């Protein structure tokens, strides 16, 4: 399927890229020192700055395999997908992430792998990107708040990363943690949830081929407001499971408590599978508002991915294990 380039690039993204390209040009021309000071002195203070971005850029420009897994539905407009967000680290308003996420310190980035794995430790993102191939997946995204989108993600199957690090017989659950950095992430200075944002999957959910570690969307690197530089995407579960800006992955034998369960276990279960028959205590989950459309549409069981994932929950009472 053809890939696309979205013409509408927010102003906030254009400027840093232009500065970056300019800088490379000047470096080639031999004006390195003077130009560097004029353009952005702080760029040169960080060791390994741009290491992962330099690996990601050519990969995004190559012809990636792409799978359309949203029933041919129209893509959500890039602007909507990047201006209507949930990222409580930057506030609870839908526009807060777009306004404040430039403060997310994404470079350099590493993920610390801990727990029941053969190989643990802090892995620089560039090493992950060099080791695993990227692919594009077009998925529906259904938020627990009853809105939805269709997004072309680019990423690595989570199973590829976990297999590389060697699961053991005690690897039963995968816990994820977002970056904790209240100096830069203003929302973390308020007790909105128990920070850092923590989510988890059962190991068979984590190893399912639909479960993606996304580093881009719409053919571009992940915008900060969408969870740069690397986030989870689990398309058959409510969006809150798809944790952003992952700093730590811990493999456990026992089920961990997620941030949303800790905050309100009656409203947010561990599984959080999209299910039109199990209402949120404060609203119905039978229908949803597709961002960019008027009216409401029916919510699909497992967000339409039942053929692929229903077997994971065979014999479970989904009214109880919500
Ligand atoms: N991850 C972190 N770290 N913080 C958050 O507030 N919000 C979740 C999820 N991941 C959230 C998060 C929720 S509720 C949803 S619906 C999706 O991110 C939204 O992803 P999007 O903004 O890219 O559409």
């Amino acid at each position: 399927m053809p890939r696309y380039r979205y013409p509408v690039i927010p102003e906030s993204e254009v400027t840093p890229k232009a500065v970056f390209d300019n800088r490379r040009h000047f470096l080639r021309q031999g004006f390195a020192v003077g130009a560097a000071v004029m353009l952005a002195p702080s760029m040169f203070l960080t060791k390994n700055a741009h290491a992962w971005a330099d690996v990601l850029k050519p990969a995004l420009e190559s012809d990636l395999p792409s799978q359309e897994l949203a029933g041919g539905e129209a893509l959500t407009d890039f602007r909507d997908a990047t201006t209507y967000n949930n990222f409580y680290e930057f506030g609870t308003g839908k526009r807060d992430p777009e306004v404040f996420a430039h403060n997310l310190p994404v470079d350099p980035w590493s993920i610390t792998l801990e727990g029941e794995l053969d190989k643990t430790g802090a892995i620089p993102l560039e090493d992950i990107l060099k080791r695993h191939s990227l692919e594009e997946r077009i998925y529906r995204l259904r938020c627990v708040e009853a809105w939805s989108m269709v997004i072309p993600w680019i990423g690595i199957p989570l199973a590829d990363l976990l297999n590389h690090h060697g699961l053991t017989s005690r690897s039963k659950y995968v816990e994820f943690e977002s970056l904790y950095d209240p100096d830069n992430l203003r929302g973390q200075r308020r007790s909105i949830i128990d920070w850092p944002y923590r989510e988890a999957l059962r190991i068979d959910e984590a190893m399912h081929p639909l479960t993606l570690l996304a580093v881009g969307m719409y053919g571009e690197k992940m915008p900060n407001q969408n969870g740069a530089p690397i986030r989870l995407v689990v398309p058959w579960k409510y969006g809150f499971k798809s944790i952003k800006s992952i700093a730590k992955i811990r493999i456990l034998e026992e089920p961990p408590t997620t941030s949303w369960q800790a905050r309100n276990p009656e409203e947010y279960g561990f599984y959080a599978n999209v299910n039109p028959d199990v209402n949120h205590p404060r609203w119905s989950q039978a229908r949803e508002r597709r961002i960019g459309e008027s009216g409401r549409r029916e919510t699909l069981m497992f967000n339409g991915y039942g053929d692929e994932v229903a077997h994971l929950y065979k014999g479970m009472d989904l009214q109880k294990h919500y």
Side-chain angles (χ1 to χ4, degrees):
M1 111 147 246
R3 304 204 19 253
Y4 33 72
R5 290 275 173 255
Y6 255 70
V8 190
I9 299 170
E11 205 65 38
S12 55
E13 301 231 337
V14 171
T15 310
K17 187 173 180 304
V19 170
F20 176 74
D21 288 343
N22 250 339
R23 178 187 148 235
R24 298 190 71 132
H25 176 74
F26 279 120
L27 284 172
R28 254 183 272 123
Q29 300 297 315
F31 296 116
V33 179
V37 171
M38 272 161 52
L39 288 168
S42 62
M43 278 175 163
F44 297 89
L45 299 177
T46 319
K47 199 166 169 263
N48 283 336
H50 306 302
W52 67 258
D54 285 346
V55 179
L56 183 58
K57 195 168 181 278
L60 290 175
E61 284 164 1
S62 69
D63 205 8
L64 298 177
S66 175
Q67 289 185 71
E68 201 291 314
L69 296 165
E73 294 179 35
L75 295 184
T76 297
D77 186 79
F78 177 83
R79 265 209 162 269
D80 287 338
T82 53
T83 56
Y84 187 91
N85 298 103
N86 279 336
F87 200 171
Y88 281 10
E89 282 83 342
F90 296 103
T92 52
K94 290 285 178 280
R95 297 205 74 127
D96 287 343
E98 183 218 0
V99 174
F100 298 111
H102 61 273
N103 292 318
L104 180 70
V106 294
D107 199 3
W109 193 272
S110 61
I111 298 185
T112 302
L113 285 136
E114 293 179 350
E116 302 294 345
L117 288 170
D118 292 336
K119 284 181 268 180
T120 55
I123 320 295
L125 179 54
E126 52 273 24
D127 292 0
I128 296 174
L129 292 170
K130 279 179 206 158
R131 194 174 293 133
H132 305 288
S133 327
L134 295 181
E135 47 189 286
E136 182 177 65
R137 305 270 184 90
I138 299 176
Y139 287 158
R140 296 179 205 89
L141 170 76
R142 168 61 156 83
C143 179
V144 73
E145 298 163 337
W147 55 262
S148 61
M149 298 189 186
V150 175
I151 299 190
W153 303 105
I154 292 166
I156 301 156
L158 175 62
D160 290 2
L161 179 85
L162 296 182
N163 279 332
H164 177 80
H165 288 272
L167 297 173
T168 76
S169 57
R170 289 185 302 280
S171 311
K172 305 274 172 60
Y173 293 89
V174 184
E175 186 187 39
F176 305 85
E177 259 184 40
S178 292
L179 180 70
Y180 181 67
D181 181 0
D183 285 345
N184 290 306
L185 279 51
R186 64 203 307 272
Q188 289 180 337
R189 293 176 224 149
R190 292 164 52 201
S191 55
I192 303 168
I193 55 163
D194 176 24
W195 305 111
Y197 195 106
R198 291 185 314 283
E199 257 312 331
L201 297 172
R202 223 171 51 189
I203 195 73
D204 55 347
E205 299 175 321
M207 296 299 283
H208 192 281
L210 287 177
T211 304
L212 204 66
L213 276 175
V215 291
M217 55 191 257
Y218 297 84
E220 304 290 337
K221 74 175 179 197
M222 189 67 70
N224 283 10
Q225 59 266 43
N226 294 86
I230 184 162
R231 70 173 289 173
L232 191 67
V233 181
V234 194
W236 70 96
K237 292 179 179 283
Y238 290 121
F240 68 85
K241 300 293 289 184
S242 292
I243 182 170
K244 297 179 169 181
S245 305
I246 299 170
K248 202 172 271 186
I249 298 181
R250 198 177 286 123
I251 312 298
L252 301 167
E253 196 166 8
E254 299 298 327
T257 303
T258 67
S259 295
W260 286 108
Q261 279 178 294
R263 184 185 145 125
N264 196 339
E266 306 291 305
E267 298 194 355
Y268 306 102
F270 177 86
Y271 286 96
N273 291 318
V274 175
N275 188 338
D277 302 326
V278 177
N279 289 332
H280 187 278
R282 290 182 279 134
W283 58 86
S284 164
Q285 292 292 26
R287 296 168 79 74
E288 67 199 53
R289 183 169 55 95
R290 176 64 52 84
I291 300 301
E293 276 181 13
S294 55
R296 292 189 161 240
R297 49 163 77 207
E298 306 275 313
T299 285
L300 305 172
M301 185 64 202
F302 295 116
N303 204 22
Y305 300 98
D307 287 351
E308 291 87 355
V309 302
H311 68 276
L312 299 176
Y313 310 101
K314 206 163 163 238
M316 280 176 64
D317 178 353
L318 297 179
Q319 297 281 333
K320 202 164 130 220
H321 298 285
Y322 53 87

